[in-house]
């Protein structure tokens, strides 16, 4: 789960990471009020995507009137497919001497949390990593030891940070790691961490991704979920226990298992089709889940054909078939479908579907080719 | 021969009395697996019946170890108890632990993995389908009906996709030594390289099928390992060529982040190591058959 910048920074602050004073506004009038209290501010779109600055989603508000105008311009703006519903107004940093990149994330390959830092902050770190990888400093954290002082010193020294700031930098980095740990983050990122005109460190941007698997023990963070940021279909899927990601094509896919679901998309594309979604109904799905999945797929007006590919193991073919029949009883649809059931109780499932007037297929290739044809309308 | 398990492997099941646990334990016993004990805290002293077999249930693995001497464990308990069950099995001295449970927090797995390494215990999973040695034994979900004994070793990150591939091999009359599902979590136990080493050393394994997916760099590392250390032919497939970057495709580990974890990178690395990579999983069995001269 991704957090908004203002949510991430508030969590940072709880762990001693210095952030600017700031408040969130939902209307231009509210923005004006806040600016009257705070003075000169920067107005920032709160959406789950980066590069807001470049997209026009970060504007100066030196006066309350300017802040109001900036908020009016940003609210409702579309940034990479996300509509801006709120803005953060942060006090302006008292001058910016330098912009630094600092993050704590999980390094899968080494199975450790890792500090990633660069004196070339503010920019897209992927680009820095590509063009000048030597400018990126990486240090692993041993969970039982935490961030040791010598590690902070190493990062600070390699970045050429002024010596006077090393102690503060260690405190900040320790705080960032403790925030990462306490909230089961997979990423905590400050880009940029600035050195202000007064020579102090200040986290002016913040990004945080939380491990969904840990939300059960993170009541406060779980409540930060912004359902407005989540497309309707993805929310419905999450609530039904289905893994769903909308894509741009016209062939709806329903599959059991993540690997097979990805493969079904790949093979569809191999035969010239475009998948409309990734959908994994999970292991041991019951009829209700299958019905919910089919409803979600059919709610996408781009879908011209549906490809159902189930390899039964824990999931049973007859349960899937019952779900399909139930869903077809609930939703009117003209969309043609291809079903391929294999594995546990596949024959029983096919028997249940015999009356449903669906195309059937024996192999995945066969199913994908039929779905591609149906989507093109020449059936 | 086989790797990791055979019909003599003595299995203790954590979560044997649960809905999923009891169902799959019965399937395993029916397949021929030697399940010697079950564990459910609070249900010690009960008997778990499967066909004509009576399996004793204990409150803790330690007690199961003291009276039934298992040498492998299967964990099939809800996510919030699973990490504890992993520590419990390792602490009781079980050398091979399979954790099927999904949704374990990553930070918990980082610590658990470090503990297991220090203990010298091998973990398979978490969030994996388990493993199966055709005609002998299975731990986990892999349906016994799709497999048959033979010379191909299968190792995979995926569940149902693996069943698909095993099924296709079997339909072409190509059996398997052992099929191993390592799972798709970002931090896990046994990885591709561990299994490749075992297949390389197993005299009965003549060919290896490796099924990867987007995310992480386990496939790239495996490719480098194959190039240096694997003399047996390997055939591969990578799922997720069409996955959009930045979106997690179901598995906690299946995500393309920037330029890392892409299917292209993995396919390229494997091909450079002399491993043919099928475009379509339906072709894997055919490629294997051809390469085996069948
Ligand atoms: N409180 C602030 N005071 C002064 N400048 C700021 C402040 N917040 C952001 N900026 C400037 O705006 C730039 C873009 O803001 P940032 O929060 O990083 O958004 P994004 O990364 O989405 O573009 C920063 O690199 C920084 O130069
Ligand atoms: Mg930024």
């Amino acid at each position: 789960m991704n957090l908004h910048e203002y949510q991430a920074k508030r969590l940072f602050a709880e762990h001693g990471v210095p952030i600017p004073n700031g408040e969130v506004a939902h209307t231009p009038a509210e923005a004006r009020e806040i600016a009257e209290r705070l003075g000169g501010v920067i107005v920032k779109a709160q959406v789950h995507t980066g590069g807001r600055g470049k997209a026009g989603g970060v504007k100066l508000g030196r006066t309350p009137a300017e802040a109001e105008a900036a908020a009016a311009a940003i609210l409702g703006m579309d940034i990479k497919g996300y509509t801006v519903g709120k803005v953060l107004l942060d006090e302006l940093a008292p001058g910016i001497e330098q912009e630094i990149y600092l993050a704590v994330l999980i390094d899968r390959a080494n199975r450790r949390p890792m500090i990633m830092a660069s004196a070339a902050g503010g920019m897209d770190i992927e680009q820095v990593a590509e063009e000048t990888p030597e400018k990126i400093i990486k240090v692993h954290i041993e969970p039982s030891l935490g961030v040791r002082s010598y590690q902070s010193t190493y990062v600070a020294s390699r970045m050429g940070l002024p010596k006077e700031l090393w102690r503060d930098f260690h405190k900040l980095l320790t705080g960032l790691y403790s925030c990462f740990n306490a909230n089961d983050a997979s990423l905590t990122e400050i880009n940029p961490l600035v050195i202000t005109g007064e020579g102090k460190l200040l986290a002016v941007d913040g990004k945080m991704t939380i491990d969904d698997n840990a939300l059960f023990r993170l009541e406060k963070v779980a409540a930060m979920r912004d359902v407005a940021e989540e497309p309707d279909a993805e929310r419905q899927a999450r609530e039904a226990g289905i893994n769903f990601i909308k894509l741009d094509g016209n062939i709806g896919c329903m599959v059991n298992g993540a690997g097979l679901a990805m493969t079904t998309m790949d093979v569809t594309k191999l035969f010239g089709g475009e998948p409309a979604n990734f959908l994994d109904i999970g292991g041991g799905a019951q009829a209700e889940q299958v019905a919910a999945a089919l409803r979600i797929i059919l709610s996408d007006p781009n879908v011209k054909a549906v490809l159902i590919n189930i390899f039964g193991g824990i999931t049973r073919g007859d349960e899937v078939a019952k779900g399909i029949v139930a869903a077809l009883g609930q939703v009117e649809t003209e969309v043609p479908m291809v079903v391929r059931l294999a594995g546990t109780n596949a024959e029983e499932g096919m028997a249940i579907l015999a009356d449903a007037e669906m195309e059937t297929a024996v192999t995945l290739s066969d199913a994908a080719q039929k779905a591609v044809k149906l989507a093109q309308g020449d059936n | 021969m086989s790797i990791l398990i055979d019909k003599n492997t003595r299995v203790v099941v954590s979560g044997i009395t649960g809905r999923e646990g009891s169902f799959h334990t019965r399937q395993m016993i029916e397949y021929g697996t030697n399940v010697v004990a079950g564990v459910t805290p609070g249900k010690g002293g009960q008997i778990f019946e499967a066909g004509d077999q009576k399996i004793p249930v204990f409150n803790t693995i330690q007690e199961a170890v003291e009276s039934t001497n298992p040498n492998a464990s299967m964990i099939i308990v809800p996510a919030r108890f699973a990490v504890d069950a992993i520590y419990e099995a390792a602490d009781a001295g079980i050398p091979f632990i399979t954790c099927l449970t999904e949704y374990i927090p990553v930070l918990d797995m980082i610590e658990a993995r470090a503990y297991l390494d220090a203990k010298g215990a091998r973990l398979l999973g978490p969030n994996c389908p388990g493993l199966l040695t055709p005609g002998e034994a299975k731990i986990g979900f892999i349906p016994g009906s799709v497999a048959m004994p033979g010379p191909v070793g299968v190792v995979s990150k995926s569940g149902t996709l693996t069943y698909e591939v095993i099924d296709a091999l079997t339909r072409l009359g190509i059996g398997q030594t052992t099929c191993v599902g390592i799972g798709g979590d970002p931090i896990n136990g046994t990885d591709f390289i561990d299994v490749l080493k075992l297949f390389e050393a197993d005299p009965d394994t003549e060919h290896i099928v490796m099924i990867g997916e987007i995310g992480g760099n386990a496939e790239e590392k495996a490719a480098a390992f194959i190039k240096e250390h694997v003399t047996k032919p390997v055939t591969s497939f990578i799922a997720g060529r069409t996955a959009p970057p930045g979106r997690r495709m179901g598995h906690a580990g299946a995500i393309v982040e920037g330029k890392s974890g892409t299917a292209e990178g993995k396919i390229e690395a494997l091909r450079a190591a002399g491993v043919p990579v099928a475009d379509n999983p339906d072709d894997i069995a055919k490629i294997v058959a051809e390469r085996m001269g069948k």
Side-chain angles (χ1 to χ4, degrees):
Chain A
M1 183 177 104
N2 288 319
L3 297 185
H4 281 302
E5 174 195 359
Y6 75 94
Q7 297 168 324
K9 289 202 298 204
R10 280 175 195 172
L11 292 174
F12 291 177
E14 285 177 15
H15 293 267
V17 174
I19 62 165
N21 280 322
E23 287 178 50
V24 173
H26 299 81
T27 63
E30 227 182 310
R32 182 186 188 104
E33 253 172 62
I34 294 167
E36 274 162 2
R37 266 198 307 277
L38 294 180
V41 292
I42 190 154
V43 185
K44 310 171 83 176
Q46 297 298 290
V47 279
H48 288 164
T49 179
R52 298 162 302 168
K54 273 191 212 147
V58 178
K59 291 188 194 305
L60 272 177
R62 276 158 300 206
T63 64
E66 201 183 13
E68 184 176 1
I74 296 172
L75 286 163
M77 182 186 260
D78 179 284
I79 301 181
K80 297 183 189 165
Y82 293 90
T83 309
V84 182
K86 39 186 171 290
V87 288
L88 170 66
L89 290 91
D90 262 358
E91 270 176 6
L92 278 175
I96 294 182
E97 294 295 319
Q98 196 188 337
E99 301 203 344
I100 291 163
Y101 176 94
L102 183 66
V104 175
L105 47 87
I106 287 166
D107 178 22
R108 285 175 70 166
N110 290 288
R111 295 187 294 268
R112 292 282 178 282
M114 179 172 83
I115 301 158
M116 206 155 101
S118 170
M123 304 174 46
D124 180 10
I125 197 69
E126 292 265 335
Q127 197 182 330
V128 179
E130 181 137 324
E131 289 163 12
T132 46
E134 70 283 357
K135 285 193 181 154
I136 294 187
I137 302 147
K138 295 176 175 177
V139 174
H140 288 105
I141 301 170
E142 198 55 47
S144 58
L145 298 178
V147 180
R148 306 303 302 187
S149 165
Y150 73 88
Q151 294 179 303
S152 304
T153 306
Y154 173 76
V155 177
S157 161
R158 280 278 315 273
M159 286 198 297
L161 211 65
K163 242 193 318 231
E164 306 77 61
L165 283 176
W166 288 5
R167 274 182 70 135
D168 283 352
F169 182 72
H170 177 58
K171 246 184 80 189
L172 188 149
L173 184 51
T174 311
L176 188 65
Y177 176 61
S178 120
C179 181
F180 172 92
N181 230 349
N183 296 294
D184 278 278
S186 44
L187 170 75
T188 48
E189 181 188 82
I190 307 175
N191 188 23
L193 170 66
V194 304
I195 303 178
T196 66
E198 295 167 348
K200 295 228 163 64
L201 293 167
L202 187 67
V204 302
D205 191 7
K207 187 175 166 190
M208 204 161 163
T209 307
I210 308 292
D211 180 358
D212 291 331
N213 292 355
L215 287 174
F216 74 90
R217 64 184 176 203
L218 300 167
E219 221 173 298
K220 195 177 82 184
V221 174
M224 290 180 179
R225 186 186 291 280
D226 186 351
V227 283
E229 283 283 301
E230 206 178 12
D232 264 358
E234 290 185 15
R235 198 201 65 247
Q236 284 168 22
R238 181 170 50 76
E239 287 166 0
I242 296 163
N243 268 308
F244 172 86
I245 292 171
K246 188 182 163 353
L247 303 168
D248 298 328
N250 60 6
I251 299 177
C253 300
M254 176 175 11
V255 189
N256 65 328
L260 191 58
M262 281 189 272
T263 303
T264 303
M265 289 161 45
D266 297 347
V267 173
T268 300
K269 190 131 178 172
L270 197 64
F271 288 112
E274 283 293 335
N277 63 274
F278 163 91
L279 192 154
D280 166 17
I281 54 172
Q286 306 290 305
E288 303 89 81
Q289 258 160 309
V290 173
L294 196 54
R295 277 199 305 271
I296 290 165
I297 291 172
L298 292 172
S299 70
D300 176 353
N302 293 335
V303 168
K304 296 285 177 282
V306 176
L307 165 49
I308 300 172
N309 181 27
I310 304 295
F311 204 104
I314 352 175
T315 308
R316 289 160 33 192
D318 53 334
E319 276 292 326
V320 172
K322 280 184 213 156
I324 295 170
V325 171
L328 291 179
Q330 294 159 9
V331 243
E332 279 283 322
T333 182
E334 299 281 289
V335 177
M337 305 191 190
V338 185
V339 191
R340 181 221 175 203
L341 299 179
T344 313
N345 293 7
E347 278 168 32
E348 290 86 336
M350 286 319 246
I352 293 172
L353 290 175
D355 303 331
E357 283 185 36
M358 286 177 161
E359 282 238 31
T360 58
V362 177
T363 64
L364 172 54
S365 301
D366 183 26
Q369 277 167 297
K370 283 180 172 157
V372 171
K373 266 202 163 156
L374 289 172
Q376 287 163 349
D378 39 278
N379 44 325
Chain B
M1 272 248 316
S2 60
I3 64 166
L4 297 167
I5 57 165
D6 59 28
K7 59 181 185 303
N8 299 315
T9 304
R10 300 171 60 82
V11 182
V12 53
V13 177
S14 290
I16 195 167
T17 57
R19 193 168 59 98
E20 297 269 312
S22 56
F23 177 79
H24 289 287
T25 303
R26 289 203 171 88
Q27 299 255 306
M28 283 158 55
I29 291 169
E30 205 173 293
Y31 195 71
T33 311
N34 185 16
V35 176
V36 297
V39 172
T40 300
K43 300 206 169 158
Q46 289 188 5
I47 296 292
F48 178 85
E49 297 198 19
D52 54 4
Q53 293 198 34
K54 296 191 187 332
I55 317 284
V57 179
F58 298 87
N59 287 320
T60 60
I61 297 189
Q62 186 57 43
E63 289 161 284
V65 165
E66 283 159 12
S67 53
T68 63
N69 196 29
N71 57 4
S73 99
M74 171 169 100
I75 295 169
I76 181 162
V77 301
R80 58 188 76 188
F81 309 121
V83 187
D84 199 55
I86 293 174
Y87 284 120
E88 185 187 8
D91 196 24
I94 306 282
F96 178 50
I97 303 161
T98 298
C99 180
L100 306 174
T101 302
E102 190 177 3
Y103 305 126
I104 298 181
V106 177
L107 292 184
D108 291 359
M109 272 317 300
I110 288 180
E111 292 189 353
R113 173 66 202 262
Y115 181 82
L116 291 163
D117 288 350
K119 277 267 172 187
R122 183 196 291 279
L123 173 71
L124 181 65
N127 187 17
C128 76
L131 75 170
L132 178 145
T133 293
E136 300 216 17
K138 70 166 191 161
I139 294 180
F141 303 137
I142 302 177
S145 57
V146 300
M148 79 178 210
V152 177
V154 178
V155 58
S156 171
K157 265 188 185 176
S158 159
T160 45
L161 174 58
T162 316
Y163 313 162
E164 180 97 49
V165 172
I166 301 170
D167 186 51
L169 287 167
T170 298
R171 276 192 278 116
L172 285 188
I174 304 170
Q176 307 88 38
T177 45
T178 301
C179 307
V180 185
I182 63 173
D185 268 14
I187 308 289
N188 61 4
T190 304
D191 64 14
F192 283 127
I193 294 177
D194 299 319
V195 181
L196 288 168
K197 275 183 201 160
L198 295 169
F199 281 139
E200 175 69 14
D202 173 37
D204 288 345
T205 300
E206 293 168 22
H207 197 116
I208 301 166
V209 170
M210 179 181 131
I211 300 159
E213 63 186 33
I214 53 161
N217 69 345
E219 291 80 0
E220 287 87 336
K221 286 209 252 173
F225 181 82
I226 290 168
K227 203 168 178 178
E228 293 295 318
H229 304 287
V230 178
T231 59
K232 297 176 182 179
V234 182
T235 299
S236 184
F237 176 77
I238 303 294
R241 292 178 189 222
T242 56
R247 305 300 309 263
R248 222 166 269 286
M249 306 307 272
H251 286 160
I255 181 168
V256 173
E257 286 160 306
K259 289 220 155 45
S260 79
T262 64
E264 290 72 41
K266 295 172 189 300
I267 292 169
E268 208 173 288
L270 285 162
R271 290 195 172 141
V275 176
V277 183
D279 288 329
N280 181 335
D282 286 348
D283 298 339
I284 299 173
K286 287 177 225 158
I287 297 173
V288 174
E290 250 166 55
R291 296 184 76 195
M292 293 181 74
K294 290 216 174 191

